[in-house]
């Protein structure tokens, strides 16, 4: 946990990443090097099928634990900025900012409807039936994972216990930055990607009126955000004394307007310096890269200079990830969660667990080496010629945009031994990679030109998952030297908010960006130079 090496005393930045299953923090230096890391699991409730809830107090407490850990042993006065990213779950607070229950049981600890919650199915169908123009910017069909259907569900199902008492609805990243600073401004990233806000036109009154949430229009969007800041902007007077005490940081340090977790991962990897490796994207604009953030779910982030409308793929969202670029976000609702589900639910799982533990390996490392053992002379991918998985166990986010889809396995036999488990695991990984290929094909058909994949997130630590993505898409896959790229993205936000760097692009890689800036000056900012400025 102590900062490693013999660093020059300088400035530090803290990034906090709230994923679906855990909260992570990192201490990062001015060169973007991660010096300390800590993580902590967070609570989840599934009170009934398709209802997924969390607690904002539990999540904040976990943020405090991990932040205190990563700053142990350093002079905290050298910490200049703090950045948050989180999943796009919906946090509900009352008018005094106290948690409100989002459940029939009235349990106010559970005040978050998680992003993967599917309770608002009838609401999202009605929203999609309106065919309102805001739907064009979410791939033509709104997902049940977004906030409008969840808000409508609360109004229609928990009117007295939640809706009427609610004072503030936050996307989780914005809840965290409010908790740290007392500032209720929302990040452009959350509002544009999950709440139908337009970076150019703001809120669309007609949409909220049409879907039955005219309440927000009437009070000028106070409850869902009427002050909007770009990711990385400095919030208010920085960290409040109370939050500073909670987090073990000095009061007043800069806190950034946050990003959604996938977007922080995209920011962390999409501009990586890959020169000298002969990759297809070398010398090409940054728009030829696709960042894929693979955790509980996978998010496929592609950027463009002009808006591109891809059926079934979210966006185009302006400046929601990289300032000045449009973002398209494809996704698979469950990937890591699906692999865990398939492996843990198999009859041979207890045997696998015991054997992996005996070798001090993770179950996935064990399965990968087991596949190598049983593949004989064939490439590992051929082990599944008779076994196929359709991976939409939790609906399809992209490109089919159909939440009613279900999963499927064909080719099952009567045996259920460890070999069968390993092959089912392989078929699941292949199905997910094939899903990525379909997303890329949809993006390319609409105008993207993608040549190289940049993977990060927990699943990018699995070599089989990475290899199958390369084999099945036919594209090279780049992994960052820094495996915790999402956290680097969060710390970049803090660095930007501190004022030490002029933009998130410059904070992404100060030395090379400075060179790029000099080149830009010499060449008077040609398009190629602008791309190089990001592709550091
Ligand atoms: N070393 C690893 N090998 C294989 N899979 C891993 C590894 N580390 C994490 N994972 C998988 O990644 C997923 C979680 O990724 P993570 O990025 O931590 O998720 P989230 O951000 O959603 O909390 C889980 O499904 C887990 O099994
Ligand atoms: O929709 C999202 C991003 O736009 C969610 O935040 C994401 O899919 C959940 O992230 P993770 O799987 O990394 O926990």
């Amino acid at each position: 946990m102590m900062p490693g090496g013999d660093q020059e005393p300088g400035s530090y930045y803290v990034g906090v990443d709230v994923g679906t299953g855990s909260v992570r923090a990192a201490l990062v230096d001015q060169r973007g090097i991660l010096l300390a890391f800590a993580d902590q699991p967070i609570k989840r409730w599934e009170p009934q099928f398709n209802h997924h809830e969390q607690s904002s107090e539990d999540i904040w407490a976990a943020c405090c634990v991990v932040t205190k850990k990563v700053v142990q042993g350093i002079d905290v006065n050298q910490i200049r900025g703090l950045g948050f990213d989180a999943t796009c779950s919906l946090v509900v607070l009352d008018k005094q900012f106290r948690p409100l229950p989002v459940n029939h049981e009235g349990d106010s600890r559970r005040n978050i409807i998680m992003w993967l919650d599917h309770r608002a199915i009838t609401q999202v169908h009605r929203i999609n039936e309106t065919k309102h123009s805001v739907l064009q910017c979410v791939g033509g069909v709104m997902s049940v994972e977004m906030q409008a259907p969840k808000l409508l569900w609360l109004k229609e199902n928990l009117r007295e216990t939640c809706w009427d008492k609610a004072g503030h609805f936050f996307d989780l990243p914005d809840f965290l930055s409010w908790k740290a600073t007392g500032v209720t401004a929302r990040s452009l990233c959350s509002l544009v990607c999950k709440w139908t806000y337009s970076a150019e036109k703001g809120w669309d009154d007609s949409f909220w009126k049409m879907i039955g949430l005219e309440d927000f229009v009437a009070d000028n969007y106070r409850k869902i955000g009427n002050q909007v800041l770009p990711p990385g902007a400095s919030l208010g007077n920085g960290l409040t004394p109370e939050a500073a005490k909670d987090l073990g940081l000095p009061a007043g340090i800069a806190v950034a307007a946050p990003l959604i977790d996938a977007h922080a991962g995209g920011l962390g990897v999409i501009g990586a310096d890959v020169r000298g490796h002969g990759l297809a994207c070398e010398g090409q604009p940054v728009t030829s890269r696709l960042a894929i953030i693979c955790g509980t779910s996978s998010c496929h982030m592609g950027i463009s200079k002009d808006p591109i409308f891809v059926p079934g793929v979210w966006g185009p969202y302006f400046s929601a990830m990289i300032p000045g670029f449009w973002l398209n976000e494809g996704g698979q609702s469950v990937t890591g969660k699906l692999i865990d589900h398939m492996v843990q639910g198999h009859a041979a799982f207890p045997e696998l667990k015991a054997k992996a533990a005996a070798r001090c390996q993770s179950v996935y490392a064990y399965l990968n080496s087991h596949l190598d053992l049983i593949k004989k002379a064939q490439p590992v991918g051929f082990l599944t010629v008779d076994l196929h998985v359709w991976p939409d166990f939790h609906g399809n986010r992209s490109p089919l945009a159909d939440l009613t889809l279900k999963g499927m396995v064909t080719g099952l036999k009567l045996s259920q031994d460890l070999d069968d488990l390993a092959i089912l695991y392989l078929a699941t990984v292949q199905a997910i990679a094939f899903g990525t290929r379909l997303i890329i094909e949809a993006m390319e058909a609409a105008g993207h030109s993608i040549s190289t994949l940049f993977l990060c997130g927990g699943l990018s630590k699995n070599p089989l998952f990475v290899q199958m993505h390369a084999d099945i898409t036919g594209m090279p896959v780049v992994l960052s030297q820094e495996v915790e790229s999402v956290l680097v993205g969060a710390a970049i936000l803090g660095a930007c908010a501190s004022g030490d760097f002029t933009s998130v692009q410059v904070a992404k890689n100060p030395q090379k960006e400075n060179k790029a800036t000099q080149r830009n000056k010499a060449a008077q900012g040609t398009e190629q130079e602008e791309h190089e400025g990001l592709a550091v």
Side-chain angles (χ1 to χ4, degrees):
M1 216 51 69
M2 294 282 290
D6 48 359
Q7 314 292 332
E8 290 284 315
S11 303
Y12 299 123
Y13 310 95
V14 173
V16 178
D17 165 39
V18 179
T20 300
S22 65
V23 173
R24 283 82 61 158
L27 181 74
V28 173
D29 72 9
Q30 270 172 310
R31 295 162 303 165
I33 294 174
L34 193 144
L35 305 172
F37 168 84
D39 64 353
Q40 168 95 355
I42 45 181
K43 291 195 184 109
R44 286 168 63 172
W45 289 266
E46 199 177 338
Q48 63 190 83
F49 179 62
N50 269 341
H51 287 227
H52 296 265
E53 297 172 4
Q54 283 182 320
S55 155
S56 63
E57 291 196 342
D58 174 59
I59 288 175
W60 179 251
C63 292
C64 296
V65 169
V66 290
T67 304
K68 280 181 180 151
K69 281 187 184 168
V70 296
V71 301
Q72 261 172 34
I74 60 147
D75 175 2
V76 289
N77 294 313
Q78 287 173 254
I79 297 170
R80 304 260 311 142
L82 169 64
F84 291 98
D85 71 73
T87 63
C88 48
S89 299
L90 177 68
V91 183
V92 187
L93 303 179
D94 72 9
K95 295 175 179 84
Q96 284 76 43
F97 294 94
R98 292 173 306 210
L100 272 176
V102 293
N103 45 74
H104 291 293
E105 296 77 27
D107 179 355
S108 60
R109 272 178 317 163
R110 288 152 42 200
N111 69 320
I112 298 181
I113 304 184
M114 292 180 71
W115 61 272
L116 76 169
D117 186 293
H118 277 191
R119 71 182 67 182
I121 284 180
T122 62
Q123 287 74 14
V124 84
H125 282 320
R126 273 184 274 136
I127 290 172
N128 283 319
E129 275 163 13
T130 66
K131 306 243 181 279
H132 192 280
S133 59
V134 297
L135 302 176
Q136 283 168 16
C137 288
V138 291
V141 183
M142 181 170 282
S143 165
V144 72
E145 294 176 15
M146 293 185 171
Q147 309 299 13
K150 291 179 168 137
L151 291 161
L152 193 53
W153 186 92
L154 287 174
K155 184 173 178 181
E156 293 176 352
N157 291 275
L158 297 178
R159 182 96 198 203
E160 278 156 31
T161 52
C162 181
W163 185 257
D164 288 346
K165 292 184 180 163
H168 310 271
F169 299 100
F170 284 104
D171 219 83
L172 183 54
D174 295 324
F175 164 80
L176 296 170
S177 59
W178 162 74
K179 190 79 182 160
T181 62
V183 176
T184 58
R186 307 305 206 269
S187 165
L188 186 72
C189 173
S190 347
L191 290 198
V192 165
C193 299
K194 307 294 168 177
W195 298 70
T196 73
Y197 185 87
S198 157
E200 293 155 314
K201 298 182 216 146
W203 293 115
D204 187 325
D205 295 353
S206 66
F207 171 70
W208 296 101
K209 286 181 186 163
M210 193 179 275
I211 67 166
L213 291 179
E214 58 288 338
D215 329 38
F216 293 138
V217 184
D219 85 341
N220 192 28
Y221 300 99
R222 198 182 45 79
K223 288 185 187 174
I224 61 172
N226 52 17
Q227 193 199 348
V228 187
L229 293 172
S234 180
L235 291 168
N237 297 320
L239 200 60
T240 62
E242 195 190 346
K245 199 161 153 251
D246 287 353
L247 293 163
L249 298 175
I253 61 165
V255 180
L259 280 169
I260 297 169
D261 54 354
H263 302 63
L267 175 63
V269 297
I270 206 164
D273 182 356
V274 292
R275 283 172 294 185
H277 296 279
L279 287 168
C281 65
E282 189 168 342
Q284 293 296 310
V286 70
T287 49
S288 66
R289 301 166 174 215
L290 186 74
I292 312 185
I293 297 80
C294 319
T296 303
S297 61
S298 290
C299 303
H300 304 68
M301 322 296 278
I303 58 177
S304 57
K305 277 305 227 181
D306 297 307
I308 300 178
F309 292 83
V310 189
V313 170
W314 297 340
Y317 299 136
F318 187 62
S319 281
M321 186 172 85
I322 307 293
F325 284 83
W326 293 84
L327 169 70
N328 282 109
E329 178 181 353
Q332 292 163 290
S333 293
V334 287
T335 53
K337 189 175 167 64
L338 177 65
I339 296 171
D340 296 345
H341 176 82
M342 297 297 256
V343 169
Q344 290 166 15
H346 194 279
F349 181 64
E351 183 191 345
L352 167 67
K353 232 170 104 177
K355 288 188 165 160
R359 278 205 214 154
C360 297
Q361 276 184 324
S362 76
V363 290
Y364 297 114
Y366 188 94
L367 283 173
N368 292 351
S369 51
H370 192 77
L371 284 168
D372 274 335
L373 271 182
I374 60 177
K375 75 180 165 64
K376 305 206 177 75
Q378 285 183 322
V380 77
F382 284 80
L383 284 170
T384 51
V385 282
D386 293 328
L387 185 77
H388 305 288
V389 173
W390 182 260
D392 294 331
F393 283 50
H394 198 51
N396 180 285
R397 196 190 277 181
S398 309
L400 304 175
D402 184 348
L403 67 93
T404 65
L405 287 187
K406 306 277 186 292
M408 186 166 65
V409 183
T410 65
L412 291 172
K413 295 182 293 186
L414 207 51
S415 67
Q416 281 191 312
D417 61 15
L418 198 51
D419 289 2
D420 294 307
L421 167 50
I423 294 171
L424 181 64
Y425 155 72
L426 171 63
T428 307
V429 171
Q430 288 174 321
I432 292 167
F434 189 71
T436 289
R437 178 168 144 183
L438 294 182
I439 291 168
I440 294 170
E441 283 172 3
M443 292 176 79
E444 296 206 310
H448 281 275
S449 178
I450 292 159
S451 68
T452 310
L453 311 182
F454 290 70
L455 258 60
C456 65
L459 281 173
S460 68
K461 296 175 196 162
N462 182 342
L464 181 83
F465 185 88
V466 175
Q467 188 61 55
M468 288 302 123
H469 274 71
D471 291 354
I472 289 170
T473 62
M475 289 186 188
V477 176
V478 177
L479 298 179
S480 290
Q481 224 162 353
E482 178 41 70
V483 290
E484 300 300 337
S485 308
V486 182
L487 276 167
V488 174
I492 287 171
L493 295 173
C496 185
S498 71
D500 293 349
F501 302 93
T502 50
S503 69
V504 291
Q505 285 102 321
V506 174
K508 165 88 183 89
N509 193 325
Q511 288 139 12
K512 285 173 184 145
E513 283 287 356
N514 284 344
K515 280 188 215 146
T517 311
Q518 284 158 16
R519 281 200 305 272
N520 279 347
K521 278 190 194 139
Q524 312 227 325
T526 62
E527 179 141 306
Q528 176 65 18
E529 290 291 330
E530 267 177 54
H531 291 314
E532 283 183 6
L534 187 70
V536 286

